[in-house]
Amino acid sequence: MPRKAATIPEVKGGEVLSEKVARIDQELKIMDRHFEQLAATEEVIQEEMKKRDREYKDEHLHSVPKPRKHTR
């Protein structure tokens, strides 16, 4: 049985796309205005992630007994 060709519903793509682009432009302008605050926040978030990662590794990986092989 032959397959039907998939049809894409016609949407006013130009209008939807231009609205999305305009919204992205506005968000980028806001980010440019508050660059220093965003950079500081990003740094705080990265430090917290490093701290949590370090704590997790300390709790789960460093408690493994040291192997006895090659300890002479």
Side-chain angles (χ1 to χ4, degrees), residues 48-64:
E48 280 293 318
M49 290 174 64
K50 287 179 185 177
K51 180 181 174 184
R52 289 181 185 176
D53 186 50
R54 197 174 327 120
E55 289 174 356
Y56 177 83
K57 287 179 180 177
D58 286 344
E59 290 175 5
H60 293 88
L61 301 177
H62 296 295
S63 63
V64 176

Side-chain angles (χ1 to χ4, degrees), residues 25-41:
D25 286 339
Q26 289 175 348
E27 291 175 359
L28 287 173
K29 287 178 185 176
I30 292 170
M31 290 172 69
D32 286 341
R33 280 188 295 203
H34 302 287
F35 174 75
E36 293 172 359
Q37 292 172 340
L38 287 171
T41 304

